[in-house]
Amino acid sequence: YARSSRAERRPISPSERRKETRDTTLEQSKVYFSDLRAPVGTNLLRKLEKLIRRAGIGDIDMEKKLVAIKLHFGEPGNLTYLRPNYAKVVADVVKSLGGVPFLTDCNTLYPGRRKNALEHMEAAYENGFSPFSTGCHVIIGDGLRGTDDVEVPVEGAEYIQTAKIGRAIMDADVFISLTHFKGHEATGFGGAIKNIGMGCGSRAGKMDMHCAGKPDVDKSVCRGCGVCMKNCAHGAIAFDENRKAGIDHGKCVGCGRCIGACNFDAVYNGNDSANDELNCKMAEYAKAVVQDRPQFHISLVIDISPYCDCHDGNDTPILPDVGMFASFDPVALDQACVDACLKLPVMPGSLLDDRMHEEGFVDHHDHFINTTPEAEWESCLEHAEKIGLGSRSYTLITV
């Protein structure tokens, strides 16, 4: 279907399908789609390869180029993250085109098993992402403690002057995102823009997006070991008479080193930004990652869990599986995925189903907002289009 507005769609004629080309001068971006039907004799991995080749990944010059494949390895205990088999398909296609791929993500801001590179890689291996299963290496983009980043000016940004992006990701010649499209408790849904923008930010970058960039200390957890103070280059951390750490926000620059240094999870990210501001910052970070270099994006709309794969567990999917999408435009890709989801029936027994049967339920006619009423997603796509990250107008081409 061709998308001219959120309400108007028309079938693509056979002649249009034959004439399709990846012409970036066209106002509408092309998004390619494949369903999840796999009759005997084929399988989803072959369908994914066919999809991304048809979508034009081979148009990118990858000969002897370092290619970052950005994905979410999943917090151990969560079972809705993308299987490593899908990552192997993408890596194998990159290698067939002469590229040198690596799988990557950046360390998390919150406590968990992906807050430093060693634990992050162990989590990735535990969830099946290893050189043996995927055919390429895993590199944590922002280094051991999430502090190895590059400051990247963002063209047309309104909130971010320079985005702090994991160095290994910015060192790559080509950028590919492989996204598990799902719900999200803070941004409405987690799609390509979130995978790129939030996912590629270093710890300081994540602080930048989530809040004013100033961490706090939970004194009830603090052990008084002094490691945070040793890692603060700006003298912002001191101890009180009870040997509990405190952070002077006047001196703190929001680098996040103390969060990574604390072995007891006493230092944490405080004071979250408003939802729409978070969405706008995330779009600007995504633009910092992809601007001025070859890019390609893939989203699998399967196991549509209500919350992020950062949780160490997952709930029943809120919607049925949809399929696989690919595009050179991350904004059009997210728009196509959410449009497809909004047309689906609700999964019985899911959190969304529970919400819709609560007393006083207000129907927003949006599955993601109905799941998490305090979150919304449209401000992200609106701002992304405004700053030139991509277009919300697209043509959907079935493969």
Side-chain angles (χ1 to χ4, degrees):
Y1 290 88
R3 179 184 185 278
S4 56
S5 70
R6 298 191 67 182
E8 296 178 79
R9 291 169 177 82
R10 59 177 177 79
I12 298 173
S13 69
S15 61
E16 286 178 296
R17 186 170 282 118
R18 286 194 298 269
K19 291 178 181 177
E20 71 197 36
T21 58
R22 187 174 68 87
D23 186 349
T24 56
T25 65
L26 294 178
E27 183 179 347
Q28 287 194 329
S29 295
K30 288 183 172 61
V31 178
Y32 291 75
F33 167 76
S34 181
D35 63 28
L36 300 173
R37 294 298 305 275
V40 174
T42 186
N43 59 50
L44 293 179
L45 303 180
R46 293 176 191 165
K47 290 191 76 170
L48 177 58
E49 179 180 356
K50 181 179 178 181
L51 173 74
I52 62 177
R53 288 190 183 275
R54 177 76 175 280
I57 194 172
D59 293 349
I60 300 174
D61 176 14
M62 297 193 194
E63 186 64 31
K64 297 184 179 179
K65 301 291 199 308
L66 299 177
V67 181
I69 302 173
K70 169 64 180 73
L71 75 166
H72 194 306
F73 297 119
E75 189 72 20
N78 186 293
L79 296 176
T80 56
Y81 63 90
L82 295 182
R83 292 177 177 85
N85 311 65
Y86 295 117
K88 185 177 189 305
V89 170
V90 180
D92 286 348
V93 169
V94 168
K95 288 190 287 186
S96 76
L97 297 171
V100 183
F102 63 95
L103 306 181
T104 190
D105 197 2
C106 288
N107 291 306
T108 61
L109 189 57
Y110 56 84
R113 289 185 54 192
R114 296 179 301 120
K115 67 177 183 178
N116 64 61
L118 298 181
E119 291 180 273
H120 204 155
M121 291 180 71
E122 286 179 355
Y125 293 159
E126 182 176 319
N127 283 344
F129 297 93
S130 76
F132 305 104
S133 61
T134 64
C136 65
H137 289 284
V138 172
I139 298 176
I140 304 306
D142 58 345
L144 181 62
R145 291 191 181 273
T147 56
D148 186 16
D149 56 23
V150 178
E151 294 201 14
V152 183
V154 188
E155 300 170 4
E158 297 179 12
Y159 295 86
I160 303 297
Q161 297 303 312
T162 57
K164 302 172 183 68
I165 308 298
R167 184 176 299 275
I169 292 171
M170 292 310 301
D171 281 347
D173 302 302
V174 179
F175 180 84
I176 296 174
S177 67
L178 176 60
T179 301
H180 172 214
F181 191 92
K182 58 202 170 294
H184 196 277
E185 57 274 31
T187 59
F189 65 72
I193 294 175
K194 187 175 190 304
N195 183 27
I196 301 165
M198 186 61 69
C200 292
S202 65
R203 179 165 286 117
K206 289 179 172 65
M207 291 284 292
D208 204 12
M209 284 179 274
H210 270 296
C211 65
K214 311 293 183 180
D216 290 303
V217 177
D218 182 348
K219 294 183 182 293
S220 67
V221 180
C222 176
R223 303 286 186 90
C225 66
V227 173
C228 59
M229 185 170 67
K230 293 177 183 177
N231 279 272
C232 180
H234 303 276
I237 299 178
F239 289 85
D240 61 21
E241 64 276 8
N242 297 315
R243 192 60 189 172
K244 301 292 184 179
I247 299 175
D248 182 345
H249 284 183
K251 296 179 180 179
C252 174
V253 298
C255 69
R257 286 182 180 274
C258 53
I259 297 176
C262 182
N263 294 319
F264 306 103
D265 299 330
V267 189
Y268 65 95
N269 165 38
N271 189 29
D272 280 355
S273 294
N275 176 263
D276 57 348
E277 182 178 325
L278 169 63
N279 280 340
C280 293
K281 289 178 177 179
M282 199 166 64
E284 294 183 358
Y285 260 72
K287 186 174 183 186
V289 173
V290 302
Q291 65 189 7
D292 301 325
R293 63 169 163 174
Q295 57 176 296
F296 187 79
H297 310 284
I298 307 155
S299 285
L300 304 190
V301 189
I302 56 178
D303 296 323
I304 308 171
S305 50
Y307 299 137
C308 183
D309 292 340
C310 291
H311 293 278
D312 61 359
N314 54 274
D315 201 353
T316 299
I318 59 175
L319 302 169
D321 290 346
V322 179
M324 304 180 284
F325 296 75
S327 179
F328 286 92
D329 183 339
V331 182
L333 184 63
D334 272 356
Q335 187 69 65
C337 291
V338 73
D339 283 347
C341 287
L342 295 184
K343 293 187 288 187
L344 295 175
V346 175
M347 287 285 279
S350 67
L351 175 62
L352 174 55
D353 188 38
D354 290 347
R355 293 268 197 263
M356 296 179 73
H357 286 90
E358 289 176 352
E359 185 177 351
F361 168 73
V362 177
D363 190 356
H364 297 276
H365 304 287
D366 183 305
H367 293 321
F368 297 107
I369 297 178
N370 282 344
T371 301
T372 315
E374 60 272 20
E376 61 85 26
W377 53 266
E378 195 140 13
S379 59
C380 178
L381 299 190
E382 288 176 348
H383 192 67
E385 186 174 53
K386 179 181 178 182
I387 64 174
L389 178 59
S391 172
R392 297 180 69 183
S393 181
Y394 64 90
T395 299
L396 191 65
I397 301 164
T398 300
V399 176

